[in-house]
Amino acid sequence: MLPFDINSASASASPKGKDNQKHKLQQLYKYLFIGIIMLVFISYSLHNSLRYIIYSTDSGEYNEYYQLAKENMEKHKFAELNQNQNYNRNQPSNNIDNIGNNIGNNIPNPNPNPVPKRISSINHLIIVPGHSAVHINQIGDAATNDNAWYLLPYQTNQQFSSIIMSHINKGLELLEWDESAMLVFSGGQTRHEVGPISEAASYYYVAKENMNQKTQKIQSKSKSNQNHNTDTDTDSVSDMLSRMVLEEYARDSYENLLFSICRFYEMTNNYPVRITIIGFDFKKDRFINLHRNALRFPEAAFSYIGLRVDTRGFNYENAWNGEKSVISSFSTDMYGCGGSSKGRGTGSGGLPVVAETGTGNKNNLTTMKTTSKPPTTTTGTSALYTKKQSRNPFRRSVPYVLSNPALSAIINICQEDNGDTGDGGSGIYTGPLPW
């Protein structure tokens, strides 16, 4: 016989067993909740760690390995883009609207800063190349006083300040007329005796001073006219200033064009659909037939406004003779690499030749043609390269390779031999370009 009653024991133990089960279930829920919290915390920590590896939130710079992968992707993208365009520079399109569709816009920009909405809609690049630097304490007189500028001997005694202002004013005129345009003043810190003052900054501050003086005159006259809204004038000047940009590294006319395109991309995150250059009338063929062709930019989307000099003392014959010498140098060394051990000027393969034709017509240059004869480093070519090097007395490094990965190869064309030595032996860079 058992010492106790089974039925009575089971009955008395049943409530206690239920309590134990309830307690165990509560403990299970408790540990499950803690586990979920820890899982969320670990996932969040891993996410932040991966973000830090890929992109440094402190410095804003891309990780080395991510950047290499990104550039490799872009290289294939641009190569495919260039192949699909079937670009033929000898038969440019006459439809300006269609050209805009071929420009490589919306290319990933390494600059993480957002582009203002007003700037992102701009597609027309206006370039005013610089020719001198201003005395910073004489900006107010620079529009009419030659002594306010650092002038070279060949620039003196010909009212050069008026020449500079004609270029600046034409750029401002186009900028005001075209709200989709950006004006870039281009020119580096080219002279040691001037100090770290760029030609671009000189033009910008003189232009700004000129705009301020005109605005003050308009506002003073409008005080008697109560119907005139001065706020409109102020808004117009402010909008124009927001579309005026400096390019402070160019050392020659080819870099004026290339580096201004780079600055345009830095500002808008797009490459220009149209380009307009303002300068001396006798430099038109240099920009259109040499520099534009060197970059393979569509001819139908490229224009040059050549201003004729009518100031007293300007010697057109000397100007034309100097221009012929520069054209001769660039025609055998399109990228200004002469004297560089790896530059195109001393490389193998034929280079384009621009021949002057006609009798007494100094403005008649033939289009590009190629020769199979390897170029030799002439005195003119060597002088071109030496002159460009001398225009960087402060040994500044060009930053556009970092901000313009799509143009890095052509920017570094004098330092690197990447195999894209020319199109059919012409010496023109044939690698991918974003237009």
Side-chain angles (χ1 to χ4, degrees):
M1 180 177 178
L2 295 174
F4 59 88
D5 188 355
I6 295 177
N7 294 330
S8 61
S10 299
S12 60
S14 181
K16 186 176 179 180
K18 291 182 178 179
D19 292 337
N20 289 337
Q21 290 179 357
K22 183 177 181 181
H23 177 71
K24 290 180 179 179
L25 191 60
Q26 289 176 346
Q27 289 292 102
L28 178 63
Y29 288 152
K30 178 181 177 181
Y31 291 133
L32 183 61
F33 178 77
I34 294 174
I36 293 174
I37 295 299
M38 292 181 66
L39 183 62
V40 171
F41 177 78
I42 293 173
S43 299
Y44 181 77
S45 299
L46 288 174
H47 174 69
N48 282 343
S49 298
L50 290 174
R51 283 186 61 193
Y52 183 82
I53 292 172
I54 296 177
Y55 187 88
S56 174
T57 55
D58 293 331
S59 63
E61 296 178 353
Y62 287 103
N63 177 269
E64 178 182 0
Y65 301 105
Y66 175 76
Q67 181 69 11
L68 289 174
K70 176 174 176 290
E71 290 178 357
N72 188 48
M73 291 173 61
E74 289 175 347
K75 176 190 277 188
H76 290 290
K77 177 180 178 181
F78 296 136
E80 182 180 1
L81 174 66
N82 197 61
Q83 183 179 5
N84 292 338
Q85 285 178 357
N86 295 323
Y87 177 75
N88 185 353
R89 66 177 180 277
N90 294 321
Q91 296 179 353
S93 171
N94 293 322
N95 190 343
I96 192 69
D97 295 327
N98 291 334
I99 291 175
N101 297 328
N102 293 329
I103 302 297
N105 289 340
N106 299 317
I107 298 169
N109 190 336
N111 187 350
N113 297 324
V115 178
K117 184 176 180 180
R118 174 68 182 92
I119 300 299
S120 63
S121 62
I122 291 174
N123 57 31
H124 180 198
L125 169 60
I126 302 171
I127 305 172
V128 175
H131 300 284
S132 182
V134 70
H135 292 273
I136 57 176
N137 60 340
Q138 299 186 48
I139 291 177
D141 301 327
T144 56
N145 185 2
D146 278 13
N147 293 328
W149 296 89
Y150 292 94
L151 299 179
L152 296 172
Y154 71 89
Q155 296 173 326
T156 59
N157 302 319
Q158 51 187 301
Q159 299 178 328
F160 209 80
S161 58
S162 298
I163 297 174
I164 292 175
M165 287 308 303
S166 67
H167 295 185
I168 292 175
N169 289 334
K170 177 58 70 172
L172 294 176
E173 177 186 333
L174 294 183
L175 185 68
E176 184 178 17
W177 177 77
D178 186 356
E179 294 184 351
S180 66
M182 174 173 287
L183 173 59
V184 175
F185 295 115
S186 174
Q189 300 173 4
T190 57
R191 295 170 58 189
H192 190 274
E193 63 271 21
V194 174
I197 304 170
S198 70
E199 296 172 352
S202 298
Y203 277 44
Y204 174 88
Y205 287 115
V206 171
K208 184 177 179 180
E209 176 67 19
N210 191 41
M211 293 168 64
N212 290 338
Q213 291 179 1
K214 288 184 177 180
T215 302
Q216 291 174 2
K217 290 180 180 179
I218 293 174
Q219 290 177 345
S220 62
K221 290 181 180 180
S222 64
K223 288 182 179 179
S224 59
N225 183 4
Q226 298 180 354
N227 294 326
H228 182 76
N229 186 2
T230 57
D231 292 339
T232 303
D233 300 323
T234 304
D235 293 342
S236 176
V237 171
S238 177
D239 178 67
M240 290 177 64
L241 287 173
S242 71
R243 294 183 288 126
M244 289 166 52
V245 179
L246 307 185
E247 188 293 298
E248 300 184 274
Y249 290 90
R251 299 164 294 175
D252 58 25
S253 53
Y254 166 71
E255 290 184 347
N256 284 141
L257 174 57
L258 174 59
F259 291 173
S260 293
I261 294 175
C262 293
R263 280 295 285 134
F264 186 94
Y265 179 74
E266 287 181 340
M267 291 298 298
T268 67
N269 200 27
N270 291 316
Y271 285 105
V273 174
R274 292 179 295 147
I275 296 179
T276 301
I277 299 180
I278 300 169
F280 291 99
D281 57 347
F282 50 84
K283 293 186 178 183
K284 180 176 182 179
D285 289 291
R286 186 206 304 188
F287 276 93
I288 293 180
N289 292 332
L290 288 171
H291 300 334
R292 180 202 61 79
N293 216 343
L295 297 177
R296 304 199 330 262
F297 195 85
E299 186 174 2
F302 191 94
S303 60
Y304 185 95
I305 298 178
L307 303 180
R308 181 171 179 81
V309 181
D310 56 4
T311 60
R312 176 177 49 85
F314 187 84
N315 191 320
Y316 251 99
E317 183 177 358
N318 290 342
W320 274 112
N321 290 334
E323 181 62 13
K324 286 195 296 184
S325 176
V326 175
I327 286 177
S328 175
S329 296
F330 272 116
S331 64
T332 56
D333 183 17
M334 296 188 72
Y335 302 97
C337 300
S340 173
S341 60
K342 293 184 180 181
R344 293 288 184 259
T346 57
S348 61
L351 286 172
V353 175
V354 177
E356 187 173 350
T357 60
T359 304
N361 185 358
K362 299 174 180 178
N363 198 31
N364 186 8
L365 298 176
T366 63
T367 56
M368 294 296 167
K369 57 184 180 181
T370 63
T371 173
S372 59
K373 182 180 179 181
T376 57
T377 305
T378 63
T379 302
T381 302
S382 179
L384 178 66
Y385 179 81
T386 302
K387 186 176 183 180
K388 181 164 69 173
Q389 297 304 308
S390 69
R391 287 179 172 174
N392 187 20
F394 302 103
R395 298 180 60 81
R396 305 172 75 210
S397 299
V398 177
Y400 304 125
V401 174
L402 299 177
S403 60
N404 286 255
L407 297 177
S408 60
I410 199 166
I411 293 172
N412 282 331
I413 198 167
C414 292
Q415 285 76 36
E416 299 178 359
D417 189 359
N418 54 20
D420 297 312
T421 56
D423 181 6
S426 69
I428 297 176
Y429 172 78
T430 58
L433 291 170
W435 45 76

